[in-house]
Amino acid sequence: MLLDEELLEDMAIGATILAVGGGGDPYIGKLLAREAIRKYGPIPVIDLADVPDDARLAFVAGLGAPGVLNEKLPRAEEIIAAVEVLEDHLGYRFTHLVPGEAGGLNAILPATAAAAHGIPMVDADGMGRAFPYMDLVTPTLHGGRISPMSIVDEHGNRIVLTSETNAWAEAIGRAAMVASGCMTMTALYPMTGAQAKQWLVGGTVSLAARLGRTVRTARADHRNPVDAIVDEHGAVRLFDGKVVDVARRIEGGWNRGEAVLDGIDAFGGQSMRVGFQNEYLIATLGGETVATTPDLIMTVILETGEPIPAEEIRYGYRVAVLGLSSDRQWRTDDGLALAGPRRFGYDLDFVPVCTPDAARPAS
Amino acid sequence: MLLDEELLEDMAIGATILAVGGGGDPYIGKLLAREAIRKYGPIPVIDLADVPDDARLAFVAGLGAPGVLNEKLPRAEEIIAAVEVLEDHLGYRFTHLVPGEAGGLNAILPATAAAAHGIPMVDADGMGRAFPYMDLVTPTLHGGRISPMSIVDEHGNRIVLTSETNAWAEAIGRAAMVASGCMTMTALYPMTGAQAKQWLVGGTVSLAARLGRTVRTARADHRNPVDAIVDEHGAVRLFDGKVVDVARRIEGGWNRGEAVLDGIDAFGGQSMRVGFQNEYLIATLGGETVATTPDLIMTVILETGEPIPAEEIRYGYRVAVLGLSSDRQWRTDDGLALAGPRRFGYDLDFVPVCTPDAARPAS
């Protein structure tokens, strides 16, 4: 697969859907990647299965406060520097770069560094969605180490962090990020090709592109994009409703809260609550939990399929709430311990979205 | 000079005096250094003038929250690791280690790493006193760079920070320290021997030892240690008084406030206020400022010469307030811009303590 300007447009739409309400706006990432594609040409995106065992990979990601990332635009220099600072520390060059997340800004940011370095991206990521913690990736489930990792900010400050655990890197790296102005770029989880094939969620870059194409072609054909997502990608329609209340608080830099929806059409007379912490995490129908993290809960405008970030959901929006199974790695005991509802402070067990497994890419 | 167990005892007392109320308790540093001396033998402390131009030096210091450093005891492993992490990054070994501060815990910590590595300490430091910010050192006045610097915590986390400015390293390093539990060890300000001779405050390790010996011998001879400090070290007796009020608040991890003293003996009928932010920074006599940072303001128990940390000063203490000129580098325009009263939020100009310059070691 070649990531060219057209595919990039689709991928940006799909990454916004897979961001499940958080993840940072891919728009800025798209602009940076487009510039890189125009300068260096389309970027090869290779299948996870085709990565040589001795390849050297890393995630490239923005680490910042969500609101700030939309105001202070990331620059290509810092994305590239994040990779180079880690390479200098490790003493070797990466052969491939991989998105840490399938959703949001971080789904697209690695493209800029890959293009500048003339190396391919891999059609994979470490979440199959977006999550708000750096340690919340499938490599953690396999003992994969987040560090050494680099943190580069817009002021020229550079950190190499070698942490005892992935959770420590999340805590220390996030504090350093806040102190340096809430907008940093990182290269992290250095891994071999053999490890990548064992650890990562495969096919998620192309899934984002296909999701985006579904929405784009449905709009062009005057079909309903939400129906198209459900029909073509096996998403489960959890609810159609109108937002009647949003409780929101900013806690420790997180956008936490809950949206209340009154059902419409087939869901008339019912009520759904959707809880979020940056990402949508919990969906409750008439008091019964019908979907939880790590499965994907997506909120899109009923008529257009436009994904609504949890930061922006508000009274009056008419939305569909869609569910999609997370990668099977997340649905294991270890996966649920790391990314289940309790990780986010909900006193709830995991409730799976019942999606046909076939609708998900193989991992 | 050889730092042996006897000299160490004196040095610990002197470092507490030069800590000017802050700096962290040298007691723990003394215990660690004593262990190192017993294991590796006395540590050579060489004159700044004798350091070869091509020597490779660095400061070794604890970076933590003052209260926490007294509860979580620093371990030799982390002090040594801080040096090694920076050496690994730089690709060379240090030939000498230097205290960043002449006062407090950090005056003594480098001894542990120097002993373990079998390299000398230098009779110098970067402040000639204690200050609560890592960028507040004389190398900063000469364009000396704090970084690359290492930060090592008790959990096994290791950071190499390369900052654009010394102030950025202070902000980012401090945030990382808080996130990792408020007790870290650092190696910082890598410099050559030629730079050290230009940048540092010389003779401060031996000054601490001499101050300590003064107090110790005065006590043994039943002389008043405060009189001895004044007589033998040119300290200015700013006030004798009883603490009648202390206003204290914890702001951003700092111990800020003001102690009010009613004069006794020759100072009867007068009132002094001593402002502090970790260290004592401002002394005001009857409304008139008589001493300010960067000069040294020391508060010691009248009868014993025991220095009182600003954290511990309280109602009823009978103390002498002593002043001592800071190193001449601090009394320049650049020095006062960096370490004068305004740096700490006081809307005051510098008021020098009038000490004979001869009483201070040459820098």
Side-chain angles (χ1 to χ4, degrees):
Chain A
M1 184 165 71
L2 268 183
L3 181 58
D4 57 17
E5 287 193 49
E6 188 184 326
L7 195 74
L8 181 64
E9 291 294 331
D10 286 347
M11 208 187 130
I13 297 171
T16 311
I17 297 171
L18 292 174
V20 292
D25 191 343
Y27 180 72
I28 304 148
K30 186 181 79 176
L31 296 185
L32 287 166
R34 195 166 66 193
E35 210 176 287
I37 289 168
R38 285 179 185 170
K39 192 167 169 187
Y40 302 103
I43 302 155
V45 181
I46 71 165
D47 281 1
L48 183 56
D50 295 338
V51 176
D53 280 355
D54 62 353
R56 296 292 196 168
L57 298 81
F59 292 152
V60 180
L63 169 64
V68 176
L69 278 174
N70 295 339
E71 289 174 16
K72 294 188 183 176
L73 302 191
R75 295 184 308 173
E77 288 96 302
E78 280 98 44
I79 304 170
I80 295 164
V83 174
E84 291 175 350
V85 165
L86 184 55
E87 286 178 334
D88 288 348
H89 178 79
L90 292 169
Y92 59 76
R93 304 284 145 196
F94 294 113
T95 57
H96 303 70
L97 296 175
V98 198
E101 313 186 51
L105 175 63
N106 284 336
I108 299 183
L109 274 183
T112 296
H117 281 83
I119 58 177
M121 277 174 67
V122 179
D123 185 6
D125 80 306
M127 297 182 183
R129 49 168 294 163
F131 273 126
Y133 299 108
M134 292 190 289
D135 58 327
L136 245 170
V137 293
T138 48
T140 298
L141 300 174
H142 301 271
R145 301 286 301 263
I146 193 173
S147 74
M149 68 175 286
S150 64
I151 303 176
V152 169
D153 75 11
E154 63 199 306
H155 311 290
N157 301 308
R158 281 129 200 255
I159 289 172
V160 175
L161 169 60
T162 307
S163 66
E164 191 59 20
T165 64
N166 297 353
W168 270 120
E170 162 63 33
I172 296 170
R174 191 165 299 276
M177 172 273 288
V178 171
S180 74
C182 294
M183 213 287 287
T184 62
M185 291 294 146
T186 67
L188 61 172
Y189 290 96
M191 63 186 106
T192 64
Q195 290 169 328
K197 284 183 272 193
Q198 192 189 348
W199 296 352
L200 300 185
V201 183
T204 47
V205 173
S206 50
L207 170 64
R210 287 200 311 276
L211 268 169
R213 191 179 55 214
T214 294
V215 170
R216 177 171 54 85
T217 54
R219 285 177 188 162
D221 300 345
H222 305 287
R223 288 180 292 130
N224 181 287
V226 181
D227 293 340
I229 294 170
V230 170
D231 294 344
E232 296 174 26
H233 296 276
V236 175
R237 193 157 201 146
L238 299 172
F239 203 67
D240 287 353
K242 187 184 143 189
V243 180
V244 293
D245 196 15
V246 178
R248 187 195 306 283
R249 56 195 190 280
I250 302 298
E251 273 181 18
W254 304 115
N255 169 42
R256 280 183 213 258
E258 190 180 63
V260 182
L261 285 67
D262 273 359
I264 49 184
D265 299 334
F267 296 88
Q270 292 184 281
S271 172
M272 173 165 273
R273 291 167 175 271
V274 183
F276 51 84
Q277 175 177 334
N278 288 21
E279 282 75 29
Y280 298 109
L281 296 173
I282 304 288
T284 310
L285 185 64
E288 189 196 347
T289 305
V290 293
T292 72
T293 178
D295 280 359
L296 288 71
I297 300 168
M298 301 167 288
T299 299
V300 299
I301 296 285
L302 258 182
E303 290 74 23
T304 63
E306 182 79 18
I308 304 302
E311 288 182 284
E312 291 171 24
I313 194 163
R314 60 175 166 268
Y315 181 85
Y317 277 3
R318 291 162 51 88
V319 300
V321 181
L322 304 178
L324 201 62
S325 169
S326 58
D327 184 76
R328 60 173 64 95
Q329 295 187 58
W330 288 127
R331 290 175 151 207
T332 62
D333 288 350
D334 286 352
L336 295 175
L338 189 61
R342 292 181 205 282
R343 168 66 188 254
F344 298 90
Y346 296 96
D347 188 20
L348 289 174
D349 289 326
F350 171 58
V351 176
V353 169
C354 297
T355 324
D357 254 2
R360 299 287 304 161
S363 70
Chain B
M1 184 164 71
L2 268 184
L3 181 57
D4 57 17
E5 286 192 50
E6 188 184 325
L7 196 74
L8 181 65
E9 290 294 330
D10 286 347
M11 207 186 131
I13 297 171
T16 311
I17 297 171
L18 292 174
V20 292
D25 190 342
Y27 179 71
I28 303 147
K30 187 181 78 174
L31 295 186
L32 287 166
R34 195 166 65 192
E35 210 177 288
I37 289 168
R38 286 180 185 170
K39 190 166 170 187
Y40 302 103
I43 302 156
V45 181
I46 72 166
D47 281 359
L48 184 55
D50 295 337
V51 176
D53 281 355
D54 62 354
R56 296 291 195 169
L57 298 81
F59 293 152
V60 179
L63 169 64
V68 176
L69 278 174
N70 294 341
E71 290 175 15
K72 293 188 187 178
L73 303 190
R75 295 184 308 172
E77 288 96 301
E78 279 98 44
I79 304 170
I80 295 164
V83 173
E84 291 176 349
V85 166
L86 184 55
E87 287 179 333
D88 288 347
H89 178 79
L90 293 169
Y92 59 77
R93 302 285 145 197
F94 295 112
T95 58
H96 303 70
L97 295 175
V98 199
E101 314 186 49
L105 176 62
N106 283 336
I108 299 182
L109 274 184
T112 296
H117 281 84
I119 58 176
M121 277 176 66
V122 179
D123 184 6
D125 80 306
M127 297 182 184
R129 49 168 291 164
F131 274 126
Y133 299 108
M134 289 190 290
D135 58 326
L136 245 169
V137 293
T138 48
T140 298
L141 300 173
H142 300 272
R145 302 284 301 264
I146 193 173
S147 74
M149 68 176 286
S150 64
I151 303 175
V152 168
D153 75 12
E154 65 199 304
H155 311 290
N157 301 308
R158 281 128 200 254
I159 289 173
V160 175
L161 169 60
T162 307
S163 67
E164 191 60 20
T165 65
N166 296 355
W168 270 120
E170 162 62 33
I172 296 170
R174 193 164 298 277
M177 171 274 287
V178 171
S180 73
C182 292
M183 213 288 285
T184 63
M185 292 294 148
T186 67
L188 61 173
Y189 290 97
M191 63 186 105
T192 65
Q195 289 169 329
K197 285 184 271 194
Q198 192 188 349
W199 296 352
L200 299 185
V201 184
T204 46
V205 173
S206 49
L207 172 63
R210 286 199 312 276
L211 268 169
R213 192 179 53 214
T214 294
V215 171
R216 177 171 56 86
T217 54
R219 286 178 188 163
D221 301 345
H222 305 288
R223 288 180 293 130
N224 180 288
V226 181
D227 293 340
I229 294 170
V230 169
D231 294 344
E232 295 174 28
H233 295 277
V236 176
R237 192 159 201 144
L238 298 172
F239 203 67
D240 286 353
K242 187 184 142 191
V243 180
V244 293
D245 197 15
V246 178
R248 187 195 307 280
R249 57 195 189 282
I250 302 298
E251 274 181 15
W254 305 115
N255 168 40
R256 283 182 212 259
E258 193 181 60
V260 183
L261 285 68
D262 275 359
I264 48 183
D265 300 334
F267 296 89
Q270 293 184 282
S271 172
M272 173 163 275
R273 291 169 175 270
V274 184
F276 51 84
Q277 174 177 334
N278 288 20
E279 282 74 31
Y280 297 109
L281 296 173
I282 305 287
T284 310
L285 186 63
E288 188 194 348
T289 306
V290 294
T292 72
T293 176
D295 279 0
L296 288 70
I297 300 167
M298 300 166 289
T299 299
V300 299
I301 295 286
L302 259 182
E303 290 74 23
T304 62
E306 182 79 19
I308 304 301
E311 288 182 285
E312 290 171 24
I313 194 163
R314 59 175 167 269
Y315 181 86
Y317 276 4
R318 292 161 50 87
V319 299
V321 182
L322 305 177
L324 201 63
S325 169
S326 57
D327 184 75
R328 61 173 63 95
Q329 295 187 59
W330 287 127
R331 290 174 150 209
T332 62
D333 288 350
D334 285 352
L336 296 174
L338 188 61
R342 292 181 206 282
R343 168 67 188 254
F344 298 92
Y346 295 97
D347 188 20
L348 289 173
D349 290 326
F350 171 59
V351 176
V353 170
C354 297
T355 323
D357 252 2
R360 297 287 304 161
S363 70

